[in-house]
Amino acid sequence: FAGHPNNGTIIATGQSFRNIHRELETANLTPHVDKVVGEHGSVIGYPRDGKVVHMVTREPARYLKELFLQYTNHNGTLIEDKDCVFAVQSGGSGLSVAELMYNVDDLIVRYSLPLRTIINGSTVEAVHAELEDGHGSGKVKGINFCLGNDWTDTAYVGDGPNDIGGLRKATVPACPSNAKPEVIEVVNIKNGIRASKPEGEGTLQIV
């Protein structure tokens, strides 16, 4: 989450655009959120009216179709054909994450797409190279767009490495109790807030 008290903007961020909306609805937060930044900054959504803005060109349908066919059998599990990026999880074939990344990179080269792959645990994510450097730059660019490049008096809540960019730019960085060590370090250095609760409960506690 990112918030700007001066103009009242509240932004929800995450890697999966659809999952963010689902989480907001579950927590009854949709009426309170102005914008959603998803898919590493490549999609901006407006929950109240359903409007969606794509910051980059979407991949061609034939590419996503081949991706779906290749990774819904023995090679891995296609987590989501997302709005602008996708994630593939290492499946039961014995493929390592590195091998899976190699295969996805091959598809990217074959279709000459402006994507790059990053590893997130057992998942390989393909993201837009012009937005994302693998350390959360895409998310920061998406928030920049929403805030009009004005981070003055903003608060940012995050728990993973791809939140570090936003935490460093925010006036008040914050994190749940179970955030990654490198995130907690950034929050502590900037005298931010660390919740006493983990994950979503910690985020709601801070908000």
Side-chain angles (χ1 to χ4, degrees), residues 21 30 33-35 44-53:
H21 280 279
T30 302
V33 173
D34 302 287
K35 301 178 182 73
I44 310 296
Y46 299 79
R48 295 173 188 172
D49 59 14
K51 179 183 174 184
V52 173
V53 176

Side-chain angles (χ1 to χ4, degrees), residues 125-180:
E125 297 185 357
V127 299
H128 287 272
E130 65 187 90
L131 287 176
E132 180 58 60
D133 63 2
H135 301 286
S137 63
K139 187 182 289 189
V140 169
K141 289 173 184 175
I143 296 172
N144 268 341
F145 175 82
C146 294
L147 294 178
N149 295 317
D150 180 12
W151 286 72
T152 307
D153 296 329
T154 53
Y156 186 101
V157 186
D159 64 354
N162 68 335
D163 289 309
I164 289 177
L167 290 166
R168 285 177 174 159
K169 289 182 73 70
T171 305
V172 181
C175 67
S177 63
N178 65 330
K180 297 294 183 182

Side-chain angles (χ1 to χ4, degrees), residues 60-167:
R62 67 185 187 281
Y63 167 63
L64 292 174
K65 182 178 180 181
E66 180 171 346
L67 178 81
F68 180 80
L69 291 174
Q70 181 167 343
Y71 290 107
T72 50
N73 46 49
H74 63 282
N75 287 330
T77 303
L78 182 65
I79 302 300
E80 232 180 318
D81 168 1
K82 301 180 179 181
D83 284 274
C84 273
V85 297
F86 62 84
V88 181
Q89 191 170 50
S90 182
S93 66
L95 282 179
S96 68
V97 176
E99 290 170 321
L100 199 58
M101 185 173 183
Y102 177 85
N103 290 345
V104 175
D105 281 336
D106 180 65
L107 271 176
I108 290 172
V109 171
R110 211 161 357 122
Y111 282 93
S112 301
L113 295 172
L115 302 175
R116 59 171 301 188
T117 49
I118 60 175
I119 293 176
N120 181 16
S122 62
T123 301
V124 175
E125 297 185 357
V127 299
H128 287 272
E130 65 187 90
L131 287 176
E132 180 58 60
D133 63 2
H135 301 286
S137 63
K139 187 182 289 189
V140 169
K141 289 173 184 175
I143 296 172
N144 268 341
F145 175 82
C146 294
L147 294 178
N149 295 317
D150 180 12
W151 286 72
T152 307
D153 296 329
T154 53
Y156 186 101
V157 186
D159 64 354
N162 68 335
D163 289 309
I164 289 177
L167 290 166

Side-chain angles (χ1 to χ4, degrees), residues 26-44:
T26 300
N28 295 317
L29 289 174
T30 302
H32 307 289
V33 173
D34 302 287
K35 301 178 182 73
V36 169
V37 176
E39 319 302 358
H40 297 276
S42 60
V43 184
I44 310 296

